[in-house]
Amino acid sequence: MNPIQVGLLGIGTVGSGTFRVLQRNQEEIRRRAGRGIAITMVADLDTERARAIVGEAAQVVADARQVIANPAIDIVIELIGGYGIARTLVLEALAAG
């Protein structure tokens, strides 16, 4: 079975921690869930910092809407926080399915 394709919105302190935990525990997730997880896209305004964190593991984009619009992404994880753009992006992701 193909892994679940995940897109992260934001890779600051919480986002980078989430990325590392999911990467580190991939085998355990696969064992328990019966399906792996692949973080394939990361959106952050600071693309250089994001690339330094994710390396070649994921595509890095500056526009979170690219993650939301990508039909290959199964799950969007919002890690920007706040009530402004984060709320808007979550609502857009839900509307996109």
Side-chain angles (χ1 to χ4, degrees):
M1 187 177 299
N2 290 334
I4 297 167
Q5 303 295 307
V6 175
L8 299 182
L9 307 183
I11 194 149
T13 302
V14 175
S16 62
T18 300
F19 176 82
R20 288 183 182 109
V21 166
L22 290 174
Q23 291 293 93
R24 183 177 56 237
N25 293 300
Q26 290 221 2
E27 193 57 43
E28 183 69 13
I29 293 167
R30 187 177 300 108
R31 186 182 67 77
R32 289 184 181 202
R35 189 171 177 194
I37 288 180
I39 301 169
T40 54
M41 283 187 86
V42 172
D44 198 280
L45 293 176
D46 188 344
T47 56
E48 285 185 36
R49 180 177 51 107
R51 281 190 190 97
I53 293 167
V54 305
E56 299 295 318
Q59 178 185 359
V60 175
V61 296
D63 185 358
R65 288 181 172 95
Q66 286 181 267
V67 176
I68 293 168
N70 185 337
I73 299 295
D74 299 308
I75 296 173
V76 174
I77 302 175
E78 182 277 307
L79 298 160
I80 299 167
Y83 297 107
I85 189 65
R87 179 181 184 275
T88 300
L89 293 171
V90 167
L91 292 173
E92 288 178 20
L94 289 169

Coordinates of all heavy atoms in Angstrom, one line a residue:
M1 N 0.8 -1.2 0.0 CA 0.0 0.0 0.0 C 0.9 1.2 0.0 O 1.9 1.3 0.7 CB -0.9 0.0 1.2 CG -1.9 1.1 1.2 SD -3.1 1.1 2.6 CE -3.9 -0.5 2.5
N2 N 0.5 2.2 -0.8 CA 1.3 3.5 -0.9 C 1.2 4.3 0.4 O 0.2 4.2 1.1 CB 0.8 4.3 -2.0 CG 1.1 3.8 -3.4 OD1 2.0 3.0 -3.5 ND2 0.2 4.1 -4.3
P3 N 2.3 5.0 0.7 CA 2.3 5.8 2.0 C 1.3 6.9 1.8 O 1.0 7.4 0.8 CB 3.7 6.3 2.1 CG 4.3 6.2 0.7 CD 3.6 5.1 0.0
I4 N 0.8 7.4 3.0 CA 0.0 8.6 3.0 C 0.9 9.8 2.7 O 1.9 10.0 3.3 CB -0.6 8.7 4.5 CG1 -1.5 7.6 4.8 CG2 -1.4 10.1 4.6 CD1 -1.9 7.5 6.2
Q5 N 0.5 10.6 1.8 CA 1.2 11.8 1.3 C 0.8 13.0 2.2 O -0.3 13.3 2.3 CB 1.0 12.1 -0.1 CG 1.3 11.0 -1.1 CD 2.7 10.6 -1.1 OE1 3.6 11.5 -1.3 NE2 3.0 9.3 -0.9
V6 N 1.8 13.6 2.9 CA 1.5 14.6 3.9 C 2.2 15.9 3.4 O 3.3 15.9 2.9 CB 2.1 14.3 5.3 CG1 1.9 15.4 6.2 CG2 1.4 13.0 5.8
G7 N 1.5 17.0 3.6 CA 2.0 18.3 3.3 C 2.0 19.1 4.6 O 1.0 19.2 5.3
L8 N 3.1 19.8 5.0 CA 3.2 20.6 6.2 C 3.1 22.1 5.8 O 3.8 22.5 4.9 CB 4.5 20.4 6.9 CG 4.8 19.0 7.4 CD1 6.2 19.0 8.1 CD2 3.8 18.5 8.3
L9 N 2.3 22.8 6.5 CA 2.2 24.2 6.3 C 2.9 24.9 7.5 O 2.4 24.9 8.6 CB 0.8 24.7 6.2 CG -0.2 24.0 5.2 CD1 -1.5 24.6 5.2 CD2 0.5 24.0 3.8
G10 N 4.1 25.3 7.3 CA 4.9 25.9 8.3 C 6.0 25.0 8.9 O 5.6 23.8 9.2
I11 N 7.2 25.4 8.9 CA 8.2 24.5 9.5 C 9.2 25.3 10.4 O 10.4 25.3 10.3 CB 9.0 23.7 8.4 CG1 9.8 22.6 9.0 CG2 9.8 24.7 7.5 CD1 9.9 21.4 8.1
G12 N 8.5 26.1 11.3 CA 9.3 26.8 12.4 C 9.6 25.8 13.5 O 9.9 24.6 13.2
T13 N 9.5 26.2 14.7 CA 9.9 25.4 15.8 C 9.0 24.2 15.9 O 9.5 23.0 16.0 CB 9.8 26.2 17.1 OG1 10.6 27.3 17.0 CG2 10.1 25.4 18.3
V14 N 7.7 24.3 15.9 CA 6.7 23.2 16.0 C 6.8 22.4 14.7 O 6.8 21.1 14.7 CB 5.3 23.7 16.3 CG1 4.3 22.5 16.3 CG2 5.3 24.4 17.6
G15 N 6.8 23.0 13.6 CA 6.8 22.3 12.3 C 8.0 21.5 12.1 O 7.9 20.3 11.6
S16 N 9.2 22.0 12.5 CA 10.4 21.2 12.3 C 10.4 20.0 13.3 O 10.9 18.9 12.9 CB 11.7 22.1 12.5 OG 11.7 22.6 13.8
G17 N 9.9 20.2 14.5 CA 9.8 19.1 15.4 C 8.8 18.1 14.9 O 9.1 16.9 15.0
T18 N 7.7 18.5 14.4 CA 6.8 17.5 13.8 C 7.4 16.8 12.6 O 7.3 15.5 12.6 CB 5.5 18.3 13.3 OG1 4.9 18.9 14.4 CG2 4.5 17.3 12.7
F19 N 8.1 17.5 11.8 CA 8.8 16.8 10.7 C 9.8 15.8 11.2 O 9.8 14.6 10.7 CB 9.5 17.9 9.8 CG 10.4 17.3 8.7 CD1 9.7 16.9 7.5 CD2 11.7 17.1 8.8 CE1 10.5 16.4 6.5 CE2 12.5 16.5 7.8 CZ 11.9 16.2 6.6
R20 N 10.6 16.1 12.1 CA 11.6 15.2 12.6 C 11.0 14.0 13.3 O 11.4 12.8 13.1 CB 12.5 15.9 13.6 CG 13.5 16.9 12.8 CD 14.5 17.5 13.8 NE 15.3 18.5 13.0 CZ 15.2 19.8 13.1 NH1 14.4 20.4 14.0 NH2 16.0 20.6 12.4
V21 N 9.9 14.2 14.1 CA 9.3 13.1 14.8 C 8.6 12.1 13.7 O 8.8 10.9 13.9 CB 8.2 13.6 15.8 CG1 7.3 12.5 16.2 CG2 8.8 14.2 17.0
L22 N 8.0 12.7 12.7 CA 7.4 11.8 11.7 C 8.4 11.1 10.9 O 8.3 9.9 10.6 CB 6.5 12.6 10.8 CG 5.2 13.1 11.4 CD1 4.4 14.0 10.5 CD2 4.3 12.0 11.9
Q23 N 9.5 11.7 10.6 CA 10.6 11.1 9.9 C 11.3 10.0 10.7 O 11.5 8.9 10.3 CB 11.7 12.1 9.5 CG 11.3 13.1 8.4 CD 11.0 12.4 7.1 OE1 9.9 12.0 6.8 NE2 12.0 12.3 6.3
R24 N 11.5 10.3 12.0 CA 12.2 9.3 12.9 C 11.4 8.1 13.2 O 11.9 7.0 13.4 CB 12.6 10.1 14.2 CG 13.3 9.2 15.2 CD 13.8 10.0 16.4 NE 12.6 10.6 17.1 CZ 12.5 11.9 17.3 NH1 13.5 12.7 17.0 NH2 11.5 12.4 18.0
N25 N 10.0 8.3 13.2 CA 9.2 7.2 13.6 C 8.4 6.5 12.4 O 7.4 5.9 12.7 CB 8.1 7.7 14.6 CG 8.8 8.1 15.9 OD1 9.5 7.3 16.6 ND2 8.7 9.4 16.3
Q26 N 8.9 6.7 11.2 CA 8.3 6.1 10.1 C 8.0 4.6 10.2 O 6.9 4.1 9.8 CB 9.0 6.4 8.8 CG 9.0 7.9 8.5 CD 8.8 8.2 7.0 OE1 8.7 7.3 6.2 NE2 8.8 9.4 6.7
E27 N 9.0 3.9 10.6 CA 8.8 2.4 10.7 C 7.8 2.0 11.7 O 6.9 1.2 11.5 CB 10.2 1.8 11.0 CG 10.2 0.3 10.8 CD 9.8 -0.1 9.4 OE1 10.2 0.5 8.4 OE2 9.0 -1.1 9.3
E28 N 7.8 2.7 12.8 CA 6.7 2.4 13.9 C 5.3 2.8 13.4 O 4.4 2.1 13.6 CB 7.1 3.2 15.2 CG 6.2 2.9 16.3 CD 6.3 1.5 16.9 OE1 7.2 0.8 16.5 OE2 5.4 1.1 17.6
I29 N 5.2 3.9 12.7 CA 3.9 4.3 12.1 C 3.4 3.3 11.2 O 2.3 2.9 11.2 CB 4.0 5.7 11.5 CG1 4.3 6.8 12.6 CG2 2.8 6.0 10.7 CD1 4.7 8.1 12.0
R30 N 4.3 2.9 10.3 CA 4.0 1.8 9.3 C 3.5 0.5 10.0 O 2.6 -0.1 9.6 CB 5.2 1.6 8.3 CG 4.8 0.7 7.2 CD 6.0 0.5 6.2 NE 6.5 1.8 5.7 CZ 7.6 2.4 6.0 NH1 8.4 1.9 6.9 NH2 7.9 3.5 5.5
R31 N 4.3 0.2 11.0 CA 3.9 -1.1 11.7 C 2.6 -1.0 12.4 O 1.7 -1.9 12.3 CB 5.0 -1.4 12.7 CG 4.8 -2.7 13.4 CD 5.9 -3.0 14.5 NE 5.8 -2.1 15.6 CZ 4.9 -2.2 16.6 NH1 4.0 -3.2 16.6 NH2 4.9 -1.3 17.6
R32 N 2.3 0.1 13.0 CA 1.1 0.3 13.8 C -0.1 0.6 12.9 O -1.2 0.1 13.2 CB 1.2 1.4 14.8 CG 2.1 1.0 16.0 CD 2.1 2.1 17.0 NE 2.9 1.7 18.1 CZ 2.8 2.3 19.3 NH1 1.9 3.2 19.6 NH2 3.6 1.9 20.3
A33 N 0.1 1.4 11.9 CA -1.1 1.9 11.1 C -1.2 1.0 9.8 O -2.3 1.1 9.2 CB -0.8 3.3 10.7
G34 N -0.3 0.2 9.5 CA -0.4 -0.6 8.3 C -0.1 0.1 7.0 O -0.3 -0.4 5.9
R35 N 0.3 1.4 7.2 CA 0.6 2.2 6.0 C 1.6 3.3 6.5 O 1.5 3.9 7.5 CB -0.7 2.9 5.6 CG -0.6 3.6 4.3 CD -2.0 4.0 3.8 NE -1.9 4.8 2.6 CZ -2.8 5.5 2.0 NH1 -4.0 5.5 2.6 NH2 -2.6 6.2 0.9
G36 N 2.6 3.6 5.6 CA 3.6 4.5 5.9 C 3.1 6.0 5.7 O 2.0 6.2 5.2
I37 N 3.9 6.9 6.1 CA 3.7 8.3 5.9 C 4.9 8.9 5.2 O 6.0 8.7 5.6 CB 3.5 9.0 7.3 CG1 2.1 8.6 7.9 CG2 3.6 10.5 7.1 CD1 1.9 9.3 9.2
A38 N 4.6 9.7 4.2 CA 5.7 10.4 3.5 C 5.4 11.9 3.5 O 4.3 12.3 2.9 CB 5.8 9.9 2.1
I39 N 6.2 12.7 4.1 CA 6.1 14.1 4.0 C 6.7 14.5 2.7 O 7.9 14.5 2.5 CB 6.8 14.8 5.2 CG1 6.2 14.3 6.5 CG2 6.6 16.3 5.0 CD1 7.0 14.8 7.7
T40 N 5.8 14.9 1.7 CA 6.3 15.2 0.4 C 6.3 16.6 0.0 O 7.0 17.0 -0.9 CB 5.4 14.4 -0.6 OG1 4.0 14.8 -0.4 CG2 5.5 12.9 -0.5
M41 N 5.6 17.5 0.8 CA 5.7 18.9 0.5 C 5.7 19.7 1.8 O 5.0 19.3 2.8 CB 4.5 19.4 -0.3 CG 4.5 19.1 -1.8 SD 3.1 19.9 -2.7 CE 3.8 21.5 -3.0
V42 N 6.5 20.8 1.8 CA 6.5 21.7 3.0 C 6.4 23.1 2.5 O 7.1 23.5 1.5 CB 7.9 21.5 3.7 CG1 8.0 22.5 4.8 CG2 8.0 20.1 4.3
A43 N 5.5 23.9 3.1 CA 5.4 25.3 2.7 C 5.9 26.2 3.8 O 5.5 26.0 5.0 CB 3.9 25.6 2.4
D44 N 6.7 27.1 3.5 CA 7.2 28.1 4.5 C 7.7 29.3 3.7 O 8.3 29.1 2.6 CB 8.3 27.5 5.4 CG 8.5 28.3 6.6 OD1 9.2 29.3 6.6 OD2 8.0 27.8 7.7
L45 N 7.5 30.5 4.2 CA 8.0 31.7 3.6 C 9.5 31.7 3.5 O 10.1 32.2 2.5 CB 7.4 32.9 4.3 CG 5.9 33.1 4.2 CD1 5.5 34.4 5.0 CD2 5.5 33.3 2.7
D46 N 10.2 31.2 4.5 CA 11.6 31.1 4.5 C 12.0 29.8 3.9 O 12.3 28.8 4.6 CB 12.1 31.2 5.9 CG 13.6 31.4 6.0 OD1 14.3 31.1 5.0 OD2 14.1 31.8 7.1
T47 N 12.1 29.7 2.6 CA 12.4 28.5 1.9 C 13.8 28.0 2.1 O 14.0 26.8 2.1 CB 12.1 28.6 0.4 OG1 12.9 29.7 -0.2 CG2 10.6 28.8 0.1
E48 N 14.7 28.9 2.3 CA 16.1 28.4 2.5 C 16.2 27.7 3.9 O 16.8 26.6 3.9 CB 17.1 29.6 2.6 CG 17.4 30.2 1.2 CD 18.4 31.3 1.2 OE1 19.3 31.2 2.0 OE2 18.3 32.2 0.4
R49 N 15.6 28.2 4.9 CA 15.6 27.5 6.2 C 14.8 26.2 6.1 O 15.3 25.2 6.6 CB 14.9 28.4 7.3 CG 14.9 27.8 8.7 CD 14.3 28.8 9.7 NE 13.0 29.3 9.2 CZ 11.8 28.9 9.6 NH1 11.7 28.1 10.6 NH2 10.7 29.4 9.1
A50 N 13.7 26.2 5.4 CA 12.9 25.0 5.2 C 13.7 23.9 4.5 O 13.7 22.7 4.9 CB 11.6 25.3 4.5
R51 N 14.5 24.3 3.5 CA 15.3 23.3 2.7 C 16.4 22.8 3.6 O 16.8 21.6 3.5 CB 15.9 23.9 1.5 CG 14.9 24.0 0.4 CD 15.5 24.4 -1.0 NE 14.4 24.7 -1.9 CZ 14.0 25.9 -2.2 NH1 14.5 26.9 -1.6 NH2 13.0 26.0 -3.1
A52 N 17.0 23.6 4.5 CA 18.0 23.2 5.4 C 17.5 22.1 6.4 O 18.2 21.2 6.8 CB 18.6 24.4 6.2
I53 N 16.2 22.2 6.7 CA 15.6 21.3 7.7 C 15.2 20.0 7.0 O 15.5 18.9 7.5 CB 14.4 21.9 8.3 CG1 14.8 23.1 9.2 CG2 13.6 20.9 9.1 CD1 13.7 24.0 9.7
V54 N 14.6 20.1 5.8 CA 14.0 18.9 5.2 C 15.0 18.2 4.2 O 14.8 17.1 3.8 CB 12.7 19.1 4.5 CG1 11.7 19.7 5.5 CG2 12.8 20.0 3.3
G55 N 16.0 19.0 3.7 CA 16.9 18.4 2.7 C 16.2 18.0 1.5 O 15.3 18.8 1.0
E56 N 16.5 16.8 1.0 CA 15.8 16.3 -0.2 C 14.6 15.5 0.1 O 14.0 14.9 -0.8 CB 16.8 15.4 -1.0 CG 18.1 16.2 -1.4 CD 17.8 17.2 -2.4 OE1 17.0 17.0 -3.3 OE2 18.3 18.3 -2.3
A57 N 14.2 15.4 1.4 CA 13.1 14.6 1.8 C 11.7 15.1 1.3 O 10.8 14.3 1.1 CB 13.0 14.5 3.3
A58 N 11.6 16.4 1.0 CA 10.3 16.9 0.6 C 10.5 18.1 -0.3 O 11.6 18.8 -0.3 CB 9.5 17.3 1.8
Q59 N 9.5 18.4 -1.2 CA 9.6 19.6 -2.0 C 9.2 20.8 -1.1 O 8.3 20.7 -0.3 CB 8.5 19.5 -3.1 CG 8.4 20.7 -4.0 CD 7.3 20.6 -5.0 OE1 6.6 19.6 -5.0 NE2 7.1 21.6 -5.8
V60 N 10.0 21.9 -1.2 CA 9.7 23.1 -0.4 C 9.2 24.2 -1.3 O 9.7 24.4 -2.4 CB 11.0 23.5 0.2 CG1 10.8 24.9 1.0 CG2 11.6 22.5 1.2
V61 N 8.1 24.8 -0.9 CA 7.5 25.9 -1.6 C 7.2 27.0 -0.6 O 7.1 26.8 0.6 CB 6.1 25.4 -2.3 CG1 6.4 24.4 -3.3 CG2 5.1 24.9 -1.3
A62 N 7.1 28.2 -1.2 CA 6.8 29.4 -0.3 C 5.3 29.6 -0.2 O 4.9 30.2 0.8 CB 7.5 30.6 -1.0
D63 N 4.5 29.1 -1.1 CA 3.1 29.3 -1.1 C 2.3 28.1 -0.6 O 2.3 27.1 -1.2 CB 2.6 29.6 -2.5 CG 1.1 30.0 -2.6 OD1 0.4 30.0 -1.6 OD2 0.7 30.3 -3.7
A64 N 1.7 28.2 0.6 CA 1.0 27.1 1.2 C -0.1 26.6 0.3 O -0.5 25.5 0.4 CB 0.4 27.6 2.6
R65 N -0.7 27.5 -0.5 CA -1.8 27.1 -1.4 C -1.3 26.0 -2.4 O -2.2 25.3 -2.9 CB -2.4 28.3 -2.0 CG -3.2 29.1 -1.0 CD -3.9 30.3 -1.5 NE -4.8 30.9 -0.5 CZ -4.5 31.9 0.3 NH1 -3.3 32.4 0.2 NH2 -5.3 32.3 1.1
Q66 N 0.0 26.0 -2.7 CA 0.5 24.9 -3.6 C 0.3 23.6 -3.0 O 0.0 22.6 -3.6 CB 1.9 25.2 -4.0 CG 2.1 26.3 -4.9 CD 3.6 26.5 -5.2 OE1 4.3 27.2 -4.6 NE2 4.1 25.7 -6.2
V67 N 0.5 23.5 -1.7 CA 0.3 22.2 -0.9 C -1.2 21.8 -1.0 O -1.5 20.7 -1.3 CB 0.8 22.3 0.5 CG1 0.6 21.1 1.3 CG2 2.3 22.7 0.5
I68 N -2.0 22.8 -0.7 CA -3.4 22.5 -0.6 C -4.0 22.1 -2.0 O -4.8 21.2 -2.1 CB -4.2 23.8 -0.1 CG1 -3.8 24.1 1.4 CG2 -5.7 23.7 -0.3 CD1 -4.2 25.4 1.9
A69 N -3.5 22.7 -3.0 CA -4.0 22.4 -4.4 C -3.4 21.1 -5.0 O -3.9 20.7 -6.0 CB -3.7 23.6 -5.3
N70 N -2.4 20.6 -4.3 CA -1.7 19.4 -4.9 C -2.6 18.2 -4.7 O -2.8 17.7 -3.5 CB -0.4 19.2 -4.2 CG 0.4 18.0 -4.8 OD1 -0.2 17.1 -5.4 ND2 1.7 18.1 -4.6
P71 N -3.2 17.5 -5.7 CA -4.1 16.4 -5.6 C -3.4 15.2 -5.0 O -4.1 14.3 -4.5 CB -4.6 16.2 -7.0 CG -3.5 16.7 -7.9 CD -2.9 17.9 -7.1
A72 N -2.1 15.1 -5.0 CA -1.4 14.0 -4.5 C -1.3 14.0 -2.9 O -1.0 13.0 -2.3 CB 0.0 13.9 -5.1
I73 N -1.5 15.1 -2.3 CA -1.4 15.3 -0.9 C -2.7 14.8 -0.2 O -3.8 15.2 -0.6 CB -1.2 16.8 -0.5 CG1 0.1 17.3 -1.0 CG2 -1.2 16.9 1.0 CD1 1.4 16.6 -0.5
D74 N -2.5 13.8 0.6 CA -3.7 13.2 1.3 C -4.1 14.0 2.6 O -5.2 14.1 3.0 CB -3.4 11.8 1.8 CG -3.1 10.9 0.6 OD1 -3.9 10.9 -0.4 OD2 -2.1 10.2 0.6
I75 N -3.1 14.5 3.3 CA -3.3 15.1 4.6 C -2.5 16.4 4.6 O -1.3 16.4 4.3 CB -2.8 14.3 5.8 CG1 -3.7 13.0 5.9 CG2 -2.9 15.0 7.1 CD1 -3.2 12.0 6.9
V76 N -3.1 17.5 5.0 CA -2.4 18.8 5.2 C -2.3 19.1 6.7 O -3.4 19.0 7.4 CB -3.2 20.0 4.5 CG1 -2.5 21.3 4.9 CG2 -3.2 19.7 3.0
I77 N -1.1 19.3 7.2 CA -0.9 19.6 8.6 C -0.6 21.1 8.8 O 0.5 21.5 8.3 CB 0.1 18.8 9.3 CG1 -0.2 17.3 9.1 CG2 0.3 19.1 10.7 CD1 0.9 16.3 9.6
E78 N -1.4 21.9 9.4 CA -1.2 23.3 9.6 C -0.4 23.5 10.8 O -0.8 23.2 11.9 CB -2.5 24.1 9.6 CG -2.4 25.6 9.8 CD -2.2 26.0 11.2 OE1 -3.0 25.6 12.1 OE2 -1.2 26.7 11.4
L79 N 0.8 24.1 10.7 CA 1.7 24.4 11.8 C 2.1 25.8 11.9 O 3.1 26.2 12.4 CB 2.9 23.5 11.7 CG 2.6 22.0 11.7 CD1 3.7 21.1 11.2 CD2 2.3 21.6 13.2
I80 N 1.3 26.7 11.2 CA 1.6 28.1 11.3 C 1.1 28.8 12.5 O 1.8 29.5 13.2 CB 1.0 28.8 10.0 CG1 1.5 28.2 8.7 CG2 1.2 30.3 10.1 CD1 0.8 28.6 7.5
G81 N -0.1 28.4 12.9 CA -0.7 28.9 14.2 C -1.4 30.2 14.0 O -1.2 30.9 13.0
G82 N -2.1 30.6 15.0 CA -2.8 31.9 14.9 C -4.2 31.7 14.3 O -4.7 30.6 14.0
Y83 N -4.9 32.9 14.2 CA -6.3 32.9 13.7 C -6.4 33.5 12.3 O -7.4 33.4 11.7 CB -7.2 33.7 14.7 CG -7.2 33.0 16.0 CD1 -6.6 33.6 17.1 CD2 -8.0 31.9 16.2 CE1 -6.7 33.0 18.4 CE2 -8.0 31.3 17.5 CZ -7.4 31.9 18.5 OH -7.4 31.3 19.8
G84 N -5.3 34.1 11.8 CA -5.4 34.8 10.5 C -5.3 33.8 9.4 O -6.2 33.1 9.0
I85 N -4.1 33.8 8.8 CA -3.8 33.0 7.5 C -4.0 31.6 7.8 O -4.4 30.8 7.0 CB -2.5 33.4 6.9 CG1 -2.3 32.7 5.5 CG2 -1.3 33.0 7.8 CD1 -3.3 33.2 4.5
A86 N -3.6 31.1 9.0 CA -3.7 29.7 9.4 C -5.1 29.2 9.3 O -5.4 28.2 8.7 CB -3.1 29.5 10.8
R87 N -6.0 30.0 9.8 CA -7.4 29.6 9.8 C -7.9 29.6 8.3 O -8.6 28.6 7.9 CB -8.3 30.6 10.6 CG -9.8 30.3 10.5 CD -10.5 31.4 11.3 NE -11.9 31.1 11.4 CZ -12.8 31.4 10.5 NH1 -12.4 32.0 9.4 NH2 -14.1 31.1 10.7
T88 N -7.6 30.5 7.6 CA -8.0 30.6 6.2 C -7.4 29.4 5.4 O -8.2 28.7 4.6 CB -7.4 31.9 5.5 OG1 -7.9 33.0 6.2 CG2 -7.8 32.0 4.0
L89 N -6.2 29.0 5.6 CA -5.6 27.9 4.9 C -6.2 26.6 5.3 O -6.5 25.7 4.5 CB -4.1 27.8 5.2 CG -3.3 29.0 4.5 CD1 -1.8 28.9 5.0 CD2 -3.4 28.9 3.0
V90 N -6.6 26.4 6.6 CA -7.3 25.2 7.1 C -8.6 25.1 6.4 O -9.0 24.0 5.9 CB -7.4 25.2 8.6 CG1 -8.4 24.1 9.1 CG2 -6.0 25.0 9.3
L91 N -9.3 26.2 6.3 CA -10.7 26.2 5.7 C -10.5 25.8 4.2 O -11.3 25.1 3.6 CB -11.4 27.5 5.9 CG -11.8 27.8 7.3 CD1 -12.4 29.2 7.5 CD2 -12.8 26.7 7.8
E92 N -9.5 26.4 3.6 CA -9.3 26.0 2.1 C -8.9 24.6 2.0 O -9.3 23.9 1.0 CB -8.2 26.9 1.6 CG -8.6 28.4 1.4 CD -7.5 29.3 0.9 OE1 -6.5 28.8 0.3 OE2 -7.6 30.5 1.0
A93 N -8.1 24.0 2.9 CA -7.7 22.6 2.8 C -8.9 21.7 3.0 O -9.1 20.7 2.2 CB -6.6 22.3 3.8
L94 N -9.8 22.1 3.9 CA -11.0 21.3 4.1 C -11.9 21.4 2.9 O -12.5 20.3 2.4 CB -11.8 21.8 5.3 CG -11.1 21.5 6.7 CD1 -11.8 22.3 7.8 CD2 -11.1 20.0 7.0
A95 N -12.0 22.5 2.3 CA -12.8 22.7 1.1 C -12.3 21.9 -0.1 O -13.0 21.4 -0.9 CB -13.0 24.2 0.7
A96 N -10.9 21.8 -0.1 CA -10.3 21.0 -1.2 C -10.4 19.5 -1.0 O -10.0 18.7 -1.9 CB -8.8 21.5 -1.3
G97 N -10.8 19.1 0.2 CA -11.0 17.7 0.5 C -9.7 17.1 1.1 O -9.5 15.9 1.1

